[in-house]
Every structure is written in C-alpha cells, then in structure tokens.
C-alpha cells in the first residue's frame, strides 16, 4: 500500500507552467502599479510647478496686476458716475445765467417769489413771473441790452450811489410795463415781461435810475433846469400838447416823441433815451435843426460828464443816432 505523501508531491509538482505564469503576472501588476504611481507624482509635480510659475509672474510684474485692478476700479467708477449724472433743469440754467449777468454788469436780477410779495408803491402787487422758459428769454434780452453800455457803467453807479435791482414780473397791471422805485437802499426797477418791447422798457427805467444818480451828484433842480430851454416857453409838464409831438409838426417844432414824454422832465428824458438805445434806423428828428436832437446831445454830454466809465469808452452806443 503506497503512502499518501507521494500524492502530495504530485500535487506540489502538478502544472509547473501555470505557476510560472502566475509569478510573471504578479510581477507585471507590480510594475504597472509602479508606473501609475510615477505618473501621478509627475502630474502633482507639474501642477506645483505651474502654481509656482504663476505666483512668480505675479511677483515679477506686480505693476501690471495693479493696472488691471485699477482698470477694473476705473470702469466701476465710470459706470457709477454715469448712473448718477445729473441733467440741469431750466431753473438751474437760468440761475447760472443770472449770476453771470450780475457779475458782469453789476446789477441785481430777481424773479419768482424772491422779492417776498414786493408791493409796488401806488400800484399794488405785480403778478410773479414763474415760467422758466420765459425767464430764460428775458435774461437773454437783458444781456443784449446791458452790452450796449460802457464797461463798468453800472458798477460805478452801484459803488458810488446804490445798486439797481431788475425785478422781473409777469405783468404790472393798469397797462404799465415798468416802474422804478428809488426810495430804499437799492433802486428797484420792476419790469413786466409780457409783450415784445421789454428791452425798450428796460432802457427807459434804467434812465430813471441813471438820472437819480446824476441828480444825487448835482441836485435834482439843476438836472431839471438843464432841460428848461429845450421845451416850448408856453408848455407845462403834465398837459398834453400835440402841437409839439413828432409827426404832427415840422422838425423845428418837434420837442417830444410822445404824449407820455410830456408827463415830466424825467419821462421826457427816459422816453428819448430808450429810443436812442433801441431804434434800428435813424429817424428824421435826429437832425441838427430839431429840438429832439438837441436834447439827445445834452443827455449824451451829461452821461460823459458825470460817469467816468463813459469818459473812458471810445464808443457810446447812444451817439450813433445823434446828428
């Protein structure tokens, strides 16, 4: 009877080829695992190198990085500025224009409720001007009119007498277009803006202001007396005499431009002066043999005598009509 050890030996030695293949496969698996580990290590190393390289670029060129950040901030601020930009209202534009006129010419300009319901002595409360488009148009007319005076003209009167306040209203009522009140610390000239003769009215009222300044220097009587020889001997102010109004008589007998100019010597001067400042062509009464022309020359000479700004000026706008 055989021992079982023999069978064990047979079992051990059974199929040696298969055993070799298993050993080979095991070695191949180890090699493959080693290769995969090496590949992962390389990828990790590559990522580390890229990160290190990126940090190095930032360190090497911090200015460029700062510029990029600055550009982003600038763009953000620009967008914010655009979103918060303000379009000026007509009222704001008017105020800027008004301030510029006041600084340029030395006058004060008021409108809307800025005069606190100013009461015009003897006439009542004017209707306030609130239309911003109308105010803009009138401010342009004021600029056009004041440009005709020599530089520093109204500043001189303001500094040596008092300032004029051009109070713009919608209307005055009773068919009046302008009124001048010289009783306070400033001369308030209330001007209606309805109609198409605003500049003419403004020069008329400004002449009252100018005459108050001259009268303050030489005396009201002397100013009035300077006109006595330039009216007919049989004429008295306050009465209407058509025999001496233009278009009704010969030039030698033309002493007044309108019935209103016969109200007083100051209205006589103001009516004539506004005509000298606004007429676009020369009328026949501006001729040597006409009393109206003689009065125009007198007014011009007085402006030159009592206002230094006129003396310094090479050109006097009102003189263009005088013969």
């Amino acid at each position: 009877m055989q021992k079982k050890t023999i069978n064990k030996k047979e079992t051990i030695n059974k199929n040696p080829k298969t055993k070799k293949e298993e050993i080979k496969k095991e070695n191949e698996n180890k090699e493959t695992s080693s290769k995969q580990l090496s590949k992962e290590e390389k990828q990790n190393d590559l990522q580390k190198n890229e990160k290190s390289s990126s940090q190095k670029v930032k360190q090497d060129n911090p200015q460029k990085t700062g510029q990029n950040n600055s550009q982003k901030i600038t763009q953000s601020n620009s967008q914010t500025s655009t979103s918060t930009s303000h379009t000026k209202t007509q009222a704001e534009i008017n105020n800027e224009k008004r301030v510029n006129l006041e600084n340029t010419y030395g006058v004060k300009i008021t409108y809307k409720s800025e005069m606190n319901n100013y009461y015009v002595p003897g006439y009542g409360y004017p209707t306030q001007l609130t239309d911003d488009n109308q105010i803009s148009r009138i401010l342009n007319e004021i600029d056009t009119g004041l440009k005709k005076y020599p530089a520093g003209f109204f500043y001189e009167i303001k500094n040596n007498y008092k300032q004029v306040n051009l109070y713009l209203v919608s209307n005055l009522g009773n068919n009046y277009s302008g009124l001048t009140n010289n009783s306070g610390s400033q001369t308030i000239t209330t001007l209606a803006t309805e109609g198409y003769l605003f500049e003419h009215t403004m020069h008329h009222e400004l002449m009252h202001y100018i005459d108050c300044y001259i009268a303050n220097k030489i005396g009201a009587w002397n100013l009035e007396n300077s006109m006595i020889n330039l009216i007919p001997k049989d004429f008295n102010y306050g009465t209407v005499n058509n025999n001496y109004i233009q278009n009704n008589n010969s030039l030698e007998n033309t002493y007044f431009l309108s019935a209103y100019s016969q109200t007083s010597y100051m209205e006589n001067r103001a009516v004539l002066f506004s005509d000298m400042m606004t007429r676009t062509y020369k009328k026949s009464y501006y001729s040597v043999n006409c009393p109206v022309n003689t009065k125009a020359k007198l007014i011009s000479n007085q402006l030159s005598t009592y206002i230094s700004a006129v003396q310094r000026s090479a050109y006097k706008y009102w003189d263009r009509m005088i013969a």
Side-chain angles (χ1 to χ4, degrees):
M1 186 173 180
Q2 292 181 342
K3 295 181 178 180
K4 291 183 178 180
T5 53
I6 295 173
N7 294 333
K8 288 181 180 179
K9 184 177 180 181
E10 288 176 352
T11 302
I12 294 171
N13 294 325
K14 187 179 178 179
N15 199 4
K17 182 178 179 181
T18 301
K19 184 66 175 178
K20 289 180 179 180
E21 288 177 354
E22 289 176 354
I23 294 171
K24 183 178 179 181
K25 187 174 181 181
E26 184 176 289
N27 290 334
E28 287 177 352
N29 289 338
K30 290 181 178 180
E31 185 176 345
T32 302
S33 176
S34 176
K35 286 181 179 180
Q36 289 177 348
L37 178 62
S38 177
K39 186 175 181 181
E40 289 176 355
E41 289 176 347
K42 287 182 179 180
Q43 288 177 345
N44 290 335
D45 290 341
L46 180 61
Q47 290 176 353
K48 289 181 180 179
N49 290 336
E50 288 177 349
K51 184 176 182 180
S52 175
S53 176
S54 175
Q55 291 175 346
K56 185 177 181 182
V57 170
K58 289 183 179 180
Q59 291 174 353
D60 290 344
N61 197 5
Q63 184 177 5
K64 185 174 181 180
T65 304
Q67 288 176 347
N68 291 336
N69 291 336
S70 177
Q71 289 175 353
K72 291 179 180 179
I73 293 172
T74 301
Q75 291 174 354
S76 176
N77 290 340
S78 175
Q79 292 173 353
T80 302
S81 176
T82 302
S83 62
T84 58
S85 61
H86 171 67
T87 301
K88 293 180 181 178
T89 64
Q90 186 61 56
E92 291 172 328
I93 295 172
N94 289 344
N95 186 57
E96 290 179 356
K97 188 184 299 182
R98 182 248 301 267
V99 171
N100 181 61
L101 292 175
E102 291 177 335
N103 292 335
T104 300
Y105 300 111
V107 303
K108 184 175 180 60
I109 303 171
T110 51
Y111 45 73
K112 293 186 177 180
S113 61
E114 295 172 348
M115 289 295 288
N116 297 321
N117 292 322
Y118 169 70
Y119 179 83
V120 180
Y123 296 92
Y125 297 98
T127 303
Q128 292 181 0
L129 175 62
T130 59
D131 186 333
D132 287 319
N133 291 326
Q134 177 75 344
I135 291 171
S136 176
R137 182 182 71 82
I138 294 300
L139 289 176
N140 288 334
E141 287 200 48
I142 290 175
D143 189 22
T144 298
L146 296 186
K147 282 179 180 177
K148 298 176 180 179
Y149 294 83
F153 186 93
F154 293 103
Y155 265 113
E156 181 177 341
I157 301 178
K158 170 189 172 183
N159 294 335
N160 292 284
Y161 181 53
K162 61 176 74 173
Q163 187 178 41
V164 64
N165 180 350
L166 303 179
Y167 177 37
L168 309 179
V169 301
S170 181
N171 66 72
L172 278 164
N174 298 324
N175 295 321
Y176 281 94
S177 56
L179 292 168
T180 296
N181 178 11
N182 192 50
S183 62
S185 60
Q186 62 179 342
T187 299
I188 301 177
T189 294
T190 306
L191 299 169
T193 58
E194 293 181 348
Y196 300 94
L197 295 175
F198 175 83
E199 187 187 344
H200 186 277
T201 301
M202 181 180 72
H203 291 300
H204 179 108
E205 298 303 323
L206 285 175
M207 189 61 195
H208 289 322
Y209 169 62
I210 296 166
D211 275 347
C212 287
Y213 171 62
I214 295 175
N216 184 67
K217 297 187 73 170
I218 68 173
W221 166 250
N222 290 325
L223 182 60
E224 182 178 4
N225 193 50
S226 68
M227 300 282 290
I228 287 179
N229 294 328
L230 300 177
I231 61 174
K233 295 186 182 299
D234 62 345
F235 174 79
N236 293 310
Y237 283 112
T239 60
V240 176
N241 191 330
N242 292 325
N243 293 328
Y244 301 118
I245 297 176
Q246 62 137 338
N247 296 330
N248 293 332
N249 300 283
S250 63
L251 290 176
E252 291 81 1
N253 285 325
T254 301
Y255 288 87
F256 305 97
L257 296 185
S258 67
Y260 186 67
S261 62
Q262 295 180 336
T263 305
S264 68
Y265 85 93
M266 296 192 77
E267 295 299 345
N268 188 8
R269 290 167 64 88
V271 168
L272 176 55
F273 184 71
S274 61
D275 187 80
M276 295 162 65
M277 293 297 285
T278 58
R279 184 157 295 284
T280 57
Y281 63 94
K282 189 172 182 176
K283 295 282 286 186
S284 59
Y285 46 78
Y286 289 111
S287 57
V288 176
N289 60 339
C290 181
V292 168
N293 185 75
T294 306
K295 281 192 286 187
K297 290 178 68 174
L298 172 68
I299 291 173
S300 178
N301 290 336
Q302 288 173 331
L303 293 177
S304 296
T305 300
Y306 301 115
I307 301 178
S308 300
V310 180
Q311 298 171 12
R312 295 190 300 267
S313 179
Y315 177 71
K316 304 170 185 61
Y317 187 85
W318 47 80
D319 277 353
R320 77 198 194 290
M321 291 296 178
I322 300 174

